[in-house]
Amino acid sequence: MQDVFDLVIFGGGGDLSRRKLLPALFSGFVAGRVSKDSRIFLTSRKGLEGSTEPWLKDVFKETPPACDMDAKSLKDFAGMVHVVELGLVEGGADWEALKGALAADDENRPLVHFLAIPPSLFTSTCELLGAYGLNNDRARVVLEKPLGHDLATAQAINADVGRFFKESQTFRIDHYLGKEAVQNLLALRFSNILFEELWSGRTIDHIQITIAENQGLQGRKGFYEGTGAMRDMVQNHLLQLLCLVAMEPPARLEADSIREEKLKVLKSLKPLEGAEIDRNVVRGQYQAGAMFGEAVKGYADDLELDSPSNTETFVALKAHIENWRWAGVPFYLRTGKRLPDRFAEIVIQFKQIPHSPHPGWGTNINPNRFIIRMQPEDHLALRMMVKNHSSADEKLKEVEMNLDVAGDDALRIGPYLRLILDAVRGDQSLFVHRDEVEHAWRWVDRIIGHWETSSEPPESYQAGTWGPYEAHDLMTRDRREWFHETSGKRSGK
């Protein structure tokens, strides 16, 4: 199926556009998902020197698309891309020119405005889109995170955008929700009675959700100081993944039903206060260490700060959902920079068997685990114990049942293209409602507010390690351990 649309990427020459959006769109074009009749407009304060094709070639050298790139495909794609010089604070001839360029013979042709710009420019950009009539019924607006700095700023942005775009036109993007493994998680949960019967505190011991990064600030230095991991990762990505794991089966896999169930989860999150925060939340900041055999600087030196910073680059926390399904089941969330590996995964760990009926099995029986990996590759697997046929003493071994579905790689699309195409079609199922954003901020603001009134700085951890030792204690005091799949070992060891 090919989609024909107009797409305007505000901040079209920026980091997100160059690293994620343009490679994804080119891959979609080569795979036949994006029609050559579509048009892509990239806004820039300075415009573009020279033609589009060599510029795109340089972009794709930096971030190769997930497909082969031949001269004809690049030329054809470049013919769809138009770079326009545009200010985002005041209107004028540049906006009149954009309005004229976006005029369409087909009133049903979707027009998607992707705001790959700082949130401080969301309001002025939406005001200008409204002033020039570019918020009509065929238009949608995509808002990239972070949506605000706290609850108050998020509410202000939502209110400002809402003056020019209806909620049905507003698409708040979280690219983790567009990943293939997340789609498969929903399919497995809601199309198989086997998983639904096991999906509760009756059989599940605990759930871990980890987004680990082995890089430092990587071009985000100006953004990160004063933001930190709680605002950057927990408030959106981690809490959204928690919602998808914990939500009740929706009446239909449609936007309103899915978002309604996710919102119920956020409303059921047990608020953390005072001493509970100190006990159940760990924040850390990386110090100088070694990564891949090379020395790396600490956070403050990376930013060339003259004084110490309390901005956290690591968060681990234990959360509880107060409802019947999840009562007593802890959710452990973890994210950090300069960790030993890069991956994102959800681990559903089931309870241990109550009794070992065979003396040869001993006590070394691992609990069953359902693994949902989202990066560096999509992967679903179920880990269980079976008889070890190579053992003479009837011992068991752990095996992994691969639940991946092999397919034509050319037809598989990445998260950003999937979400752009959903926005084109007006499907908000994988996007975040304003109420979800505000309830998530309400929950994390209590933690951030507690930190801001505390005299204690973030715990230190050496770059190249798994974070502060206190994050290890968060699990071990509950007689549990962190697990990560890349090495097949628990990360706490």
Side-chain angles (χ1 to χ4, degrees):
M1 175 181 175
Q2 284 194 331
D3 291 277
V4 181
F5 55 88
D6 290 335
L7 171 66
V8 184
I9 302 176
F10 292 88
D15 185 62
L16 177 64
S17 178
R18 294 169 65 99
R19 289 195 305 112
K20 300 292 185 181
L21 304 184
L22 288 170
L25 288 161
F26 179 74
S27 297
F29 171 71
V30 171
R33 296 295 188 95
V34 176
S35 169
K36 62 180 178 59
D37 296 322
S38 296
R39 299 182 298 174
I40 301 168
F41 297 86
L42 310 178
T43 77
S44 170
R45 286 178 297 176
K46 299 180 179 179
L48 182 66
E49 295 181 5
S51 63
T52 306
E53 186 176 340
W55 181 80
L56 284 171
K57 190 174 183 179
D58 289 340
V59 168
F60 295 152
K61 278 184 180 178
E62 294 175 10
T63 307
C67 64
D68 294 330
M69 184 173 66
D70 58 71
K72 184 179 185 308
S73 296
L74 180 62
K75 182 178 180 180
D76 291 345
F77 181 73
M80 300 162 52
V81 178
H82 313 274
V83 179
V84 294
E85 187 173 342
L86 193 74
L88 301 182
V89 178
E90 296 181 353
D94 51 355
W95 276 89
E96 289 287 358
L98 178 64
K99 179 180 179 179
L102 289 172
D105 296 332
D106 182 2
E107 293 183 357
N108 295 318
R109 181 185 178 111
L111 168 61
V112 178
H113 303 297
F114 196 119
L115 305 194
I117 53 178
S120 58
L121 293 172
F122 285 0
T123 297
S124 62
T125 302
C126 288
E127 285 178 345
L128 288 164
L129 288 170
Y132 286 88
L134 297 175
N135 61 336
N136 51 34
D137 289 343
R138 75 183 184 100
R140 304 94 159 89
V141 63
V142 178
L143 306 179
E144 177 64 44
K145 79 165 184 82
L147 200 72
H149 192 75
D150 52 22
L151 175 60
T153 53
Q155 288 174 326
I157 290 172
N158 281 329
D160 288 343
V161 173
R163 289 190 288 127
F164 306 101
F165 292 91
K166 295 177 286 189
E167 183 63 26
S168 60
Q169 294 176 288
T170 306
F171 293 72
R172 299 170 191 83
I173 194 168
D174 187 324
H175 71 274
Y176 276 91
L177 304 189
K179 288 181 175 288
E180 186 72 17
V182 173
Q183 307 309 299
N184 276 332
L185 168 63
L186 295 177
L188 282 166
R189 269 203 68 187
F190 302 132
S191 66
N192 296 282
I193 194 67
L194 168 67
F195 283 98
E196 181 54 31
E197 288 298 307
L198 298 175
W199 212 264
S200 74
R202 293 191 301 272
T203 55
I204 291 175
D205 178 76
H206 73 277
I207 293 171
Q208 300 179 27
I209 306 176
T210 297
I211 301 178
E213 300 178 277
N214 54 21
Q215 295 181 333
L217 301 181
Q218 258 41 53
R220 304 180 76 208
K221 293 181 180 181
F223 160 78
Y224 205 85
E225 173 61 12
T227 298
M230 181 65 78
R231 292 184 174 97
D232 186 38
M233 300 297 288
V234 177
Q235 185 274 334
N236 40 73
H237 298 322
L238 285 167
L239 288 183
Q240 280 296 311
L241 292 174
L242 179 148
C243 287
L244 288 180
V245 170
M247 73 182 193
E248 294 297 318
R252 289 180 175 82
L253 282 178
E254 296 174 352
D256 289 346
S257 293
I258 292 173
R259 294 158 106 180
E260 182 180 339
E261 297 303 335
K262 288 197 295 173
L263 187 58
K264 289 178 184 177
V265 174
L266 291 169
K267 289 180 176 180
S268 299
L269 270 176
K270 180 183 178 182
L272 296 176
E273 306 278 1
E276 287 183 309
I277 295 173
D278 295 332
R279 179 171 174 78
N280 293 299
V281 185
V282 177
R283 61 170 173 160
Q285 185 184 102
Y286 69 82
Q287 305 300 320
M291 300 288 299
F292 311 113
E294 295 185 2
V296 295
K297 296 178 180 178
Y299 174 80
D301 289 334
D302 268 346
L303 287 180
E304 299 178 346
L305 299 177
D306 295 327
S307 58
S309 166
N310 281 341
T311 298
E312 77 283 355
T313 61
F314 178 97
V315 172
L317 62 86
K318 180 169 71 170
H320 282 91
I321 298 171
E322 297 183 313
N323 62 22
W324 277 32
R325 183 183 291 267
W326 298 113
V329 178
F331 287 72
Y332 298 95
L333 312 185
R334 175 178 59 159
T335 186
K337 292 187 176 295
R338 290 292 191 204
L339 302 182
D341 206 351
R342 173 183 175 269
F343 66 91
E345 72 181 12
I346 302 167
V347 179
I348 315 292
Q349 182 156 315
F350 294 90
K351 292 181 177 179
Q352 186 61 275
I353 61 171
H355 169 68
S356 177
H358 194 294
W361 294 353
T363 57
N364 190 25
I365 301 176
N366 292 333
N368 300 143
R369 296 185 181 95
F370 182 35
I371 313 292
I372 303 106
R373 170 73 60 76
M374 292 153 287
Q375 68 182 29
E377 72 285 325
D378 292 305
H379 178 58
L380 275 79
L382 187 61
R383 289 195 161 202
M384 59 186 69
M385 304 302 295
V386 299
K387 183 178 181 298
N388 187 350
H389 292 286
S390 63
S391 172
D393 53 3
E394 301 292 330
K395 288 186 176 179
L396 302 176
K397 67 176 181 179
E398 187 177 45
V399 297
E400 182 172 289
M401 179 184 293
N402 191 332
L403 300 178
D404 294 336
V405 179
D408 185 350
D409 287 339
L411 296 178
R412 297 185 64 169
I413 59 176
Y416 272 104
L417 181 60
R418 173 181 283 112
L419 294 171
I420 288 172
L421 295 182
D422 280 353
V424 166
R425 297 162 189 157
D427 183 355
Q428 294 182 308
S429 300
L430 300 176
F431 293 84
V432 182
H433 192 276
R434 65 183 294 172
D435 291 343
E436 295 177 65
V437 172
E438 293 176 11
H439 273 280
W441 274 120
R442 196 169 280 113
W443 193 78
V444 304
D445 272 357
R446 290 186 179 91
I447 300 172
I448 294 170
H450 178 75
W451 288 344
E452 289 175 344
T453 60
S454 171
S455 59
E456 295 296 322
E459 304 292 342
S460 296
Y461 67 97
Q462 190 176 16
T465 65
W466 283 110
Y469 195 81
E470 287 78 3
H472 174 78
D473 287 348
L474 185 68
M475 296 290 279
T476 56
R477 71 166 181 248
D478 293 340
R479 297 184 179 181
R480 298 183 175 104
E481 295 176 297
W482 293 106
F483 177 87
H484 76 95
E485 187 65 12
T486 46
S487 65
K489 299 177 181 177
R490 298 173 183 86
S491 60
K493 289 190 172 182

